[in-house]
Amino acid sequence: MRIFRWIMMIIVAICVLPFICTLLADMIVAMAGCDFNLGASQTCAIGGLEIEPALYFLAMQGYALFFTVPVLILALPLWAVVEIVHWLRARRAAPLNAE
């Protein structure tokens, strides 16, 4: 059961990662005061360093959500069902303290 939980946590983390990347890109753009658009190439520099390619990469990760959200929608209920079944079996197998 422990391995299953680790696998499910990794799957959930991978599914949430594109959202975090997109959010991070948006926060960096807001803090830097840049005008960022995915459709047009614009400059965005922080401390003299051009960060537009990195921001573009982070922002484009949002399109991976089209693939990861369905996996997450399937994985979370599956995880919940497996945990409930495990809990019910453990509860049934536990000896009763009848005195």
Side-chain angles (χ1 to χ4, degrees):
M1 189 67 186
R2 182 173 294 182
I3 294 173
F4 177 77
R5 287 180 182 150
W6 273 104
I7 291 171
M8 293 306 290
M9 284 190 287
I10 290 170
I11 289 172
V12 169
I14 289 171
C15 289
V16 174
L17 194 60
F19 177 73
I20 293 171
C21 288
T22 305
L23 190 63
L24 180 66
D26 191 40
M27 288 181 356
I28 292 171
V29 167
M31 289 188 329
C34 300
D35 185 27
F36 185 72
N37 185 0
L38 289 176
S41 178
Q42 298 168 344
T43 59
C44 184
I46 296 179
L49 181 65
E50 181 64 34
I51 61 167
E52 193 268 332
L55 288 176
Y56 184 77
F57 175 77
L58 286 174
M60 290 301 287
Q61 297 304 311
Y63 288 112
L65 289 170
F66 289 119
F67 303 107
T68 60
V69 168
V71 172
L72 188 63
I73 288 172
L74 294 174
L76 287 178
L78 173 69
W79 191 2
V81 167
V82 169
E83 288 290 339
I84 290 170
V85 168
H86 177 71
W87 178 72
L88 289 174
R89 284 186 179 174
R91 188 172 162 207
R92 185 174 294 161
L96 297 175
N97 291 333
E99 292 183 20

